[in-house]
Coordinates of all heavy atoms in Angstrom, one line a residue:
M12 N 0.8 -1.2 0.0 CA 0.0 0.0 0.0 C 0.9 1.3 0.0 O 0.5 2.2 -0.7 CB -0.9 0.0 1.2 CG -1.9 1.1 1.3 SD -3.1 0.9 0.0 CE -4.3 2.0 0.5
T13 N 2.0 1.2 0.7 CA 2.9 2.4 0.8 C 3.5 2.6 -0.6 O 3.6 3.8 -1.0 CB 4.0 2.1 1.8 OG1 3.4 1.8 3.1 CG2 4.9 3.3 1.9
L14 N 3.8 1.6 -1.3 CA 4.4 1.8 -2.6 C 3.4 2.4 -3.6 O 3.8 3.0 -4.6 CB 4.8 0.4 -3.2 CG 6.0 -0.2 -2.5 CD1 6.3 -1.6 -3.1 CD2 7.2 0.7 -2.5
Y15 N 2.1 2.3 -3.3 CA 1.1 3.0 -4.2 C 0.9 4.4 -3.7 O 0.7 5.3 -4.5 CB -0.2 2.2 -4.1 CG -1.2 2.8 -5.1 CD1 -1.3 2.4 -6.4 CD2 -2.2 3.7 -4.6 CE1 -2.2 2.9 -7.2 CE2 -3.1 4.2 -5.5 CZ -3.1 3.8 -6.8 OH -4.0 4.3 -7.7
L16 N 0.9 4.7 -2.4 CA 0.6 6.0 -1.9 C 1.7 7.0 -2.1 O 1.5 8.2 -2.2 CB 0.3 5.9 -0.4 CG -1.0 5.2 -0.1 CD1 -1.2 5.2 1.5 CD2 -2.2 6.0 -0.7
I17 N 3.0 6.6 -2.1 CA 4.1 7.5 -2.3 C 4.0 8.2 -3.7 O 4.0 9.4 -3.7 CB 5.4 6.9 -2.0 CG1 5.6 6.5 -0.5 CG2 6.6 7.7 -2.5 CD1 6.8 5.7 -0.2
P18 N 3.9 7.5 -4.8 CA 3.8 8.1 -6.1 C 2.5 8.9 -6.2 O 2.5 10.0 -6.9 CB 3.9 7.0 -7.1 CG 4.5 5.9 -6.4 CD 4.1 6.0 -4.9
A19 N 1.4 8.4 -5.6 CA 0.2 9.1 -5.7 C 0.3 10.5 -5.0 O -0.2 11.5 -5.5 CB -1.0 8.3 -5.0
T20 N 1.0 10.5 -3.9 CA 1.2 11.8 -3.2 C 2.1 12.7 -4.0 O 1.9 13.9 -4.1 CB 1.9 11.5 -1.8 OG1 1.1 10.6 -1.1 CG2 2.1 12.8 -1.0
L21 N 3.1 12.2 -4.7 CA 3.9 12.9 -5.6 C 3.1 13.6 -6.7 O 3.3 14.8 -7.0 CB 5.0 12.1 -6.1 CG 6.0 12.7 -7.1 CD1 6.8 13.8 -6.5 CD2 6.9 11.7 -7.8
V22 N 2.3 12.8 -7.3 CA 1.4 13.4 -8.4 C 0.5 14.5 -7.9 O 0.4 15.5 -8.5 CB 0.6 12.2 -9.1 CG1 -0.5 12.8 -10.0 CG2 1.5 11.3 -9.8
F23 N -0.1 14.2 -6.7 CA -1.0 15.2 -6.1 C -0.2 16.5 -5.8 O -0.7 17.6 -6.0 CB -1.6 14.7 -4.9 CG -2.8 15.6 -4.4 CD1 -4.0 15.5 -5.0 CD2 -2.6 16.4 -3.3 CE1 -5.0 16.3 -4.5 CE2 -3.6 17.3 -2.9 CZ -4.8 17.2 -3.5
A24 N 1.0 16.4 -5.3 CA 1.9 17.5 -5.0 C 2.2 18.3 -6.2 O 2.2 19.6 -6.2 CB 3.1 17.1 -4.2
I25 N 2.6 17.6 -7.3 CA 2.9 18.3 -8.5 C 1.7 19.0 -9.1 O 1.8 20.2 -9.5 CB 3.5 17.3 -9.6 CG1 4.8 16.8 -9.1 CG2 3.6 17.9 -11.0 CD1 5.3 15.6 -10.0
A26 N 0.6 18.4 -9.1 CA -0.6 19.0 -9.6 C -1.1 20.2 -8.7 O -1.5 21.2 -9.2 CB -1.7 18.0 -9.7
L27 N -0.9 20.0 -7.4 CA -1.3 21.1 -6.5 C -0.4 22.3 -6.7 O -0.8 23.5 -6.7 CB -1.2 20.6 -5.1 CG -1.6 21.6 -4.0 CD1 -3.1 21.9 -4.2 CD2 -1.4 21.0 -2.6
R28 N 0.9 22.1 -6.9 CA 1.8 23.2 -7.2 C 1.5 23.9 -8.4 O 1.5 25.2 -8.5 CB 3.3 22.6 -7.3 CG 4.3 23.7 -7.4 CD 5.7 23.1 -7.3 NE 6.4 23.6 -8.4 CZ 7.4 23.0 -9.0 NH1 7.8 21.9 -8.6 NH2 8.1 23.6 -10.0
T29 N 1.1 23.2 -9.4 CA 0.6 23.8 -10.7 C -0.6 24.6 -10.5 O -0.8 25.7 -11.0 CB 0.4 22.7 -11.8 OG1 1.6 21.9 -11.9 CG2 0.0 23.3 -13.1
L30 N -1.6 24.1 -9.7 CA -2.8 24.8 -9.5 C -2.5 26.1 -8.7 O -3.1 27.1 -9.0 CB -3.8 23.9 -8.6 CG -5.1 24.6 -8.2 CD1 -5.9 24.9 -9.4 CD2 -5.8 23.8 -7.2
M31 N -1.7 26.1 -7.7 CA -1.4 27.3 -7.0 C -0.7 28.4 -7.8 O -0.8 29.5 -7.5 CB -0.5 26.9 -5.7 CG -1.3 26.1 -4.7 SD -2.8 27.0 -4.2 CE -3.8 25.6 -3.7
R32 N 0.1 28.0 -8.8 CA 0.7 28.9 -9.7 C -0.2 29.5 -10.7 O 0.0 30.6 -11.3 CB 1.9 28.3 -10.4 CG 3.1 28.0 -9.5 CD 4.2 27.5 -10.3 NE 5.4 27.3 -9.5 CZ 6.5 26.9 -10.0 NH1 6.6 26.5 -11.2 NH2 7.5 26.7 -9.2
D33 N -1.3 28.8 -11.0 CA -2.3 29.3 -12.0 C -3.2 30.3 -11.4 O -4.0 30.0 -10.5 CB -3.1 28.1 -12.5 CG -4.0 28.5 -13.7 OD1 -4.0 29.6 -14.1 OD2 -4.7 27.6 -14.2
V34 N -3.1 31.5 -11.9 CA -3.9 32.6 -11.3 C -5.4 32.6 -11.8 O -6.3 33.2 -11.2 CB -3.3 34.0 -11.6 CG1 -2.0 34.1 -10.8 CG2 -3.1 34.3 -13.0
T35 N -5.6 31.9 -12.9 CA -7.0 31.9 -13.5 C -7.8 30.7 -13.0 O -9.0 30.7 -13.2 CB -6.9 31.8 -15.0 OG1 -6.2 30.5 -15.4 CG2 -6.1 32.9 -15.6
A36 N -7.2 29.7 -12.4 CA -8.0 28.6 -11.9 C -8.7 28.9 -10.6 O -8.2 29.6 -9.7 CB -7.0 27.4 -11.7
S37 N -9.9 28.3 -10.5 CA -10.7 28.5 -9.2 C -10.2 27.4 -8.2 O -10.3 26.2 -8.5 CB -12.2 28.3 -9.6 OG -12.9 28.3 -8.4
K38 N -9.7 27.9 -7.1 CA -9.3 27.0 -6.1 C -10.4 26.4 -5.2 O -10.2 25.5 -4.4 CB -8.2 27.6 -5.2 CG -6.8 27.6 -5.9 CD -6.5 29.0 -6.3 CE -5.1 29.0 -6.9 NZ -5.0 29.8 -8.0
A39 N -11.6 27.0 -5.3 CA -12.7 26.6 -4.5 C -13.7 25.7 -5.3 O -14.7 25.3 -4.8 CB -13.5 27.8 -4.0
D40 N -13.4 25.4 -6.6 CA -14.2 24.6 -7.4 C -14.1 23.1 -7.1 O -13.0 22.6 -7.0 CB -13.9 24.8 -8.9 CG -14.8 24.2 -9.8 OD1 -16.0 23.9 -9.4 OD2 -14.5 24.1 -11.0
V41 N -15.2 22.5 -6.8 CA -15.2 21.1 -6.4 C -14.7 20.2 -7.6 O -14.0 19.2 -7.3 CB -16.6 20.6 -6.0 CG1 -16.7 19.1 -5.7 CG2 -17.1 21.4 -4.8
E42 N -15.0 20.6 -8.8 CA -14.6 19.8 -10.0 C -13.0 19.7 -10.1 O -12.5 18.7 -10.5 CB -15.2 20.3 -11.2 CG -16.7 20.1 -11.3 CD -17.3 20.7 -12.6 OE1 -16.6 21.3 -13.3 OE2 -18.5 20.6 -12.7
T43 N -12.4 20.8 -9.7 CA -10.9 20.9 -9.7 C -10.4 19.9 -8.8 O -9.4 19.1 -9.1 CB -10.5 22.3 -9.4 OG1 -11.0 23.2 -10.3 CG2 -9.0 22.4 -9.4
W44 N -10.9 19.8 -7.6 CA -10.4 18.9 -6.6 C -10.7 17.4 -6.9 O -9.9 16.5 -6.6 CB -10.9 19.3 -5.2 CG -10.3 20.6 -4.8 CD1 -11.0 21.8 -4.8 CD2 -9.0 20.9 -4.4 NE1 -10.1 22.8 -4.4 CE2 -8.9 22.3 -4.2 CE3 -7.8 20.1 -4.3 CZ2 -7.7 22.9 -3.8 CZ3 -6.6 20.7 -3.9 CH2 -6.6 22.1 -3.7
I45 N -11.8 17.2 -7.6 CA -12.1 15.8 -8.0 C -11.1 15.4 -9.1 O -10.6 14.3 -9.1 CB -13.6 15.8 -8.5 CG1 -14.6 15.9 -7.4 CG2 -13.8 14.5 -9.3 CD1 -16.0 16.0 -7.8
C46 N -10.8 16.3 -10.0 CA -9.8 16.0 -11.0 C -8.5 15.7 -10.4 O -7.8 14.8 -10.8 CB -9.7 17.2 -12.0 SG -8.5 17.0 -13.3
F47 N -8.1 16.5 -9.4 CA -6.8 16.2 -8.7 C -6.8 14.9 -8.0 O -5.8 14.1 -8.1 CB -6.5 17.3 -7.7 CG -5.9 18.5 -8.4 CD1 -6.7 19.5 -9.0 CD2 -4.5 18.7 -8.4 CE1 -6.1 20.6 -9.6 CE2 -3.9 19.8 -9.0 CZ -4.8 20.7 -9.6
T48 N -7.9 14.5 -7.4 CA -8.0 13.2 -6.7 C -7.9 12.1 -7.7 O -7.2 11.1 -7.5 CB -9.3 13.2 -5.9 OG1 -9.3 14.3 -5.0 CG2 -9.4 11.9 -5.1
V49 N -8.6 12.2 -8.8 CA -8.6 11.1 -9.9 C -7.2 11.0 -10.4 O -6.6 9.9 -10.6 CB -9.6 11.4 -11.0 CG1 -9.4 10.5 -12.1 CG2 -11.0 11.3 -10.4
A50 N -6.5 12.2 -10.7 CA -5.1 12.1 -11.2 C -4.2 11.4 -10.2 O -3.3 10.7 -10.6 CB -4.7 13.5 -11.5
A51 N -4.4 11.7 -9.0 CA -3.5 11.1 -7.9 C -3.8 9.6 -7.9 O -2.9 8.8 -7.7 CB -3.7 11.7 -6.6
L52 N -5.0 9.2 -7.9 CA -5.4 7.7 -7.9 C -4.9 7.0 -9.1 O -4.6 5.8 -9.0 CB -6.9 7.6 -7.7 CG -7.4 8.0 -6.3 CD1 -8.9 7.9 -6.3 CD2 -6.8 7.2 -5.2
L53 N -4.9 7.6 -10.2 CA -4.5 7.0 -11.5 C -3.0 7.4 -11.8 O -2.7 7.5 -13.0 CB -5.4 7.4 -12.6 CG -6.9 7.0 -12.5 CD1 -7.7 7.6 -13.6 CD2 -7.0 5.5 -12.4
W54 N -2.2 7.5 -10.8 CA -0.8 7.9 -11.0 C 0.0 7.0 -12.0 O 0.9 7.5 -12.6 CB -0.1 8.0 -9.7 CG 0.2 6.8 -9.0 CD1 -0.5 6.2 -8.0 CD2 1.3 5.9 -9.2 NE1 0.1 5.0 -7.6 CE2 1.2 4.8 -8.4 CE3 2.4 5.9 -10.1 CZ2 2.1 3.8 -8.3 CZ3 3.3 4.9 -10.1 CH2 3.2 3.8 -9.2
P55 N -0.3 5.7 -12.1 CA 0.5 5.0 -13.1 C 0.3 5.5 -14.5 O 1.2 5.3 -15.4 CB -0.1 3.5 -13.0 CG -0.6 3.5 -11.6 CD -1.2 4.8 -11.3
L56 N -0.8 6.2 -14.8 CA -1.0 6.8 -16.1 C -0.6 8.3 -16.1 O 0.0 8.7 -17.1 CB -2.5 6.7 -16.5 CG -3.1 5.3 -16.6 CD1 -4.6 5.4 -16.8 CD2 -2.4 4.5 -17.7
T57 N -0.9 9.0 -15.1 CA -0.7 10.4 -15.1 C 0.8 10.8 -14.8 O 1.3 11.8 -15.4 CB -1.6 11.2 -14.1 OG1 -1.4 10.6 -12.8 CG2 -3.0 11.0 -14.5
L58 N 1.5 10.1 -13.9 CA 2.9 10.5 -13.6 C 3.8 10.4 -14.8 O 4.5 11.4 -15.1 CB 3.4 9.6 -12.5 CG 4.8 9.9 -12.0 CD1 4.9 11.4 -11.5 CD2 5.2 9.0 -10.9
P59 N 3.7 9.4 -15.7 CA 4.6 9.4 -16.9 C 4.2 10.5 -17.8 O 5.1 11.1 -18.4 CB 4.3 8.0 -17.5 CG 3.9 7.2 -16.4 CD 3.1 8.1 -15.5
A60 N 3.0 10.9 -17.9 CA 2.6 12.0 -18.8 C 3.1 13.3 -18.2 O 3.6 14.2 -19.0 CB 1.1 12.0 -18.9
I61 N 3.0 13.5 -16.9 CA 3.5 14.7 -16.3 C 5.0 14.9 -16.5 O 5.6 15.9 -16.9 CB 3.2 14.8 -14.8 CG1 1.7 15.0 -14.7 CG2 3.9 15.9 -14.1 CD1 1.2 14.8 -13.2
L62 N 5.8 13.8 -16.3 CA 7.2 13.8 -16.4 C 7.6 14.0 -17.8 O 8.6 14.7 -18.1 CB 7.8 12.5 -15.8 CG 7.6 12.3 -14.3 CD1 8.2 11.0 -13.9 CD2 8.3 13.5 -13.6
Y63 N 6.9 13.4 -18.8 CA 7.2 13.5 -20.2 C 7.0 15.0 -20.6 O 7.9 15.5 -21.3 CB 6.3 12.6 -21.0 CG 6.4 12.7 -22.5 CD1 7.4 11.9 -23.1 CD2 5.6 13.4 -23.3 CE1 7.6 12.0 -24.5 CE2 5.8 13.5 -24.7 CZ 6.8 12.7 -25.2 OH 6.9 12.8 -26.6
K64 N 6.0 15.6 -20.2 CA 5.7 17.0 -20.5 C 6.8 17.9 -19.9 O 7.3 18.8 -20.6 CB 4.3 17.4 -20.1 CG 3.9 18.8 -20.5 CD 2.5 19.1 -20.1 CE 2.2 20.5 -20.5 NZ 0.8 20.9 -20.1
K65 N 7.1 17.7 -18.7 CA 8.1 18.5 -18.0 C 9.5 18.3 -18.7 O 10.2 19.3 -18.8 CB 8.2 18.2 -16.5 CG 7.1 18.8 -15.7 CD 7.3 18.6 -14.3 CE 6.3 19.4 -13.4 NZ 6.6 20.8 -13.5
Y66 N 9.8 17.1 -19.1 CA 11.1 16.8 -19.7 C 11.2 17.6 -21.0 O 12.2 18.2 -21.3 CB 11.3 15.3 -19.9 CG 12.6 15.0 -20.6 CD1 13.8 15.0 -20.0 CD2 12.5 14.5 -21.9 CE1 15.0 14.7 -20.7 CE2 13.7 14.2 -22.6 CZ 14.9 14.3 -22.0 OH 16.0 14.0 -22.6
F67 N 10.2 17.5 -21.8 CA 10.3 18.1 -23.1 C 10.1 19.6 -23.0 O 10.6 20.4 -23.9 CB 9.3 17.5 -24.1 CG 9.9 16.2 -24.7 CD1 9.4 15.0 -24.3 CD2 10.9 16.2 -25.6 CE1 9.9 13.8 -24.8 CE2 11.4 15.0 -26.1 CZ 10.9 13.8 -25.7
A68 N 9.5 20.1 -22.0 CA 9.4 21.6 -21.8 C 10.7 22.1 -21.4 O 11.1 23.2 -21.9 CB 8.4 21.9 -20.7
N69 N 11.5 21.4 -20.7 CA 12.9 21.8 -20.3 C 13.8 21.8 -21.5 O 14.7 22.6 -21.6 CB 13.4 21.0 -19.2 CG 12.8 21.3 -17.9 OD1 12.2 22.3 -17.7 ND2 12.8 20.3 -16.9
L70 N 13.6 20.8 -22.4 CA 14.5 20.7 -23.6 C 14.2 21.9 -24.6 O 15.1 22.4 -25.2 CB 14.2 19.4 -24.3 CG 14.8 18.1 -23.7 CD1 14.5 16.9 -24.6 CD2 16.3 18.3 -23.5
T71 N 13.0 22.2 -24.8 CA 12.6 23.3 -25.7 C 12.6 24.7 -25.2 O 12.6 25.6 -25.9 CB 11.2 23.0 -26.4 OG1 10.2 23.0 -25.3 CG2 11.2 21.7 -27.1
G72 N 12.7 24.8 -23.9 CA 12.7 26.1 -23.2 C 11.3 26.6 -23.1 O 10.3 26.0 -23.4
P73 N 11.2 27.9 -22.6 CA 9.8 28.4 -22.4 C 9.2 28.7 -23.7 O 9.8 29.1 -24.7 CB 10.1 29.7 -21.6 CG 11.5 30.0 -21.9 CD 12.2 28.8 -22.2
T74 N 7.9 28.4 -23.7 CA 7.1 28.6 -25.0 C 6.0 29.6 -24.7 O 5.5 29.8 -23.6 CB 6.5 27.3 -25.5 OG1 5.6 26.8 -24.4 CG2 7.5 26.3 -25.8
N75 N 5.7 30.3 -25.7 CA 4.6 31.3 -25.7 C 3.3 30.6 -26.1 O 3.2 30.2 -27.2 CB 4.9 32.5 -26.6 CG 3.9 33.6 -26.4 OD1 3.0 33.5 -25.6 ND2 4.1 34.7 -27.2
L76 N 2.4 30.5 -25.2 CA 1.1 29.8 -25.5 C 0.1 30.7 -26.3 O -0.8 30.2 -26.8 CB 0.5 29.3 -24.2 CG 1.3 28.3 -23.4 CD1 0.6 27.9 -22.2 CD2 1.6 27.1 -24.3
L77 N 0.4 32.0 -26.4 CA -0.5 32.9 -27.1 C -0.1 32.9 -28.6 O 1.1 32.8 -28.9 CB -0.4 34.3 -26.6 CG -0.7 34.5 -25.1 CD1 -0.5 35.9 -24.7 CD2 -2.2 34.1 -24.9
P78 N -1.1 32.9 -29.5 CA -0.8 32.9 -30.9 C -0.1 34.2 -31.3 O -0.4 35.3 -30.7 CB -2.1 32.7 -31.6 CG -3.1 33.2 -30.6 CD -2.5 32.9 -29.2
A79 N 0.7 34.2 -32.3 CA 1.4 35.4 -32.8 C 0.3 36.4 -33.3 O -0.6 36.0 -34.0 CB 2.4 35.0 -33.8
Q80 N 0.5 37.6 -33.0 CA -0.4 38.6 -33.5 C 0.0 39.1 -34.9 O 1.2 39.4 -35.0 CB -0.5 39.8 -32.5 CG -0.9 39.5 -31.1 CD -2.4 39.1 -31.1 OE1 -3.2 39.6 -31.9 NE2 -2.7 38.2 -30.3
P81 N -0.9 39.1 -35.8 CA -0.5 39.6 -37.2 C -0.2 41.1 -37.1 O -0.8 41.8 -36.4 CB -1.7 39.3 -38.0 CG -2.8 39.2 -37.1 CD -2.3 38.7 -35.8
K82 N 0.8 41.5 -37.9 CA 1.1 42.9 -38.0 C 0.1 43.6 -38.8 O -0.4 43.1 -39.9 CB 2.5 43.1 -38.7 CG 3.6 42.6 -37.8 CD 4.9 42.8 -38.4 CE 6.0 42.4 -37.5 NZ 7.3 42.6 -38.1
R83 N -0.3 44.8 -38.4 CA -1.3 45.6 -39.1 C -0.6 46.5 -40.0 O 0.4 47.2 -39.7 CB -2.2 46.4 -38.1 CG -3.1 45.4 -37.3 CD -4.0 46.3 -36.5 NE -4.8 45.4 -35.7 CZ -6.0 45.6 -35.3 NH1 -6.5 46.8 -35.5 NH2 -6.7 44.8 -34.6
V84 N -1.1 46.6 -41.2 CA -0.6 47.5 -42.2 C -1.6 48.6 -42.5 O -2.8 48.3 -42.7 CB -0.3 46.7 -43.5 CG1 0.2 47.7 -44.6 CG2 0.7 45.6 -43.3
N85 N -1.2 49.8 -42.4 CA -2.1 50.9 -42.6 C -2.4 51.0 -44.1 O -1.5 51.2 -44.9 CB -1.5 52.2 -42.1 CG -1.4 52.2 -40.6 OD1 -2.2 51.5 -39.9 ND2 -0.5 53.0 -40.1
A86 N -3.6 50.9 -44.5 CA -4.0 51.0 -45.9 C -4.3 52.5 -46.2 O -4.9 53.2 -45.4 CB -5.2 50.1 -46.2
L87 N -3.9 52.9 -47.4 CA -4.1 54.3 -47.8 C -5.4 54.4 -48.5 O -6.1 53.8 -49.1 CB -3.0 54.8 -48.7 CG -1.6 54.8 -48.0 CD1 -0.6 55.2 -49.0 CD2 -1.7 55.8 -46.8

């Protein structure tokens, strides 16, 4: 049981840290906490996905998630 709870706690801590950094997320929303609980319980699936994303984010550096704004040309 301990071998299951340690990685589950790790996944929950990573997800909680991400939630606390997100200024747009509602921390009082019940659905958010249900999602975190499910992610922690399903850690054999979610932990490799989290680590994969973090690994490739470090390789490519910071990315801009906003689409590039087209340049406006003043028409005469």
Side-chain angles (χ1 to χ4, degrees):
M12 184 71 165
T13 303
L14 293 177
Y15 186 85
L16 290 178
I17 291 172
T20 305
L21 176 67
V22 169
F23 191 80
I25 291 170
L27 184 63
R28 187 173 130 208
T29 304
L30 176 67
M31 292 304 154
R32 287 184 175 181
D33 187 1
V34 295
T35 61
S37 172
K38 280 111 178 137
D40 190 16
V41 174
E42 292 176 359
T43 302
W44 294 105
I45 290 172
C46 179
F47 277 82
T48 304
V49 169
L52 292 175
L53 297 176
W54 71 263
L56 300 174
T57 57
L58 184 59
I61 290 170
L62 295 177
Y63 180 82
K64 184 176 179 180
K65 285 188 169 288
Y66 175 74
F67 280 106
N69 287 338
L70 286 181
T71 60
T74 57
N75 186 2
L76 299 177
L77 299 175
Q80 298 293 327
K82 291 183 178 181
R83 293 186 179 207
V84 178
N85 292 334
L87 297 176

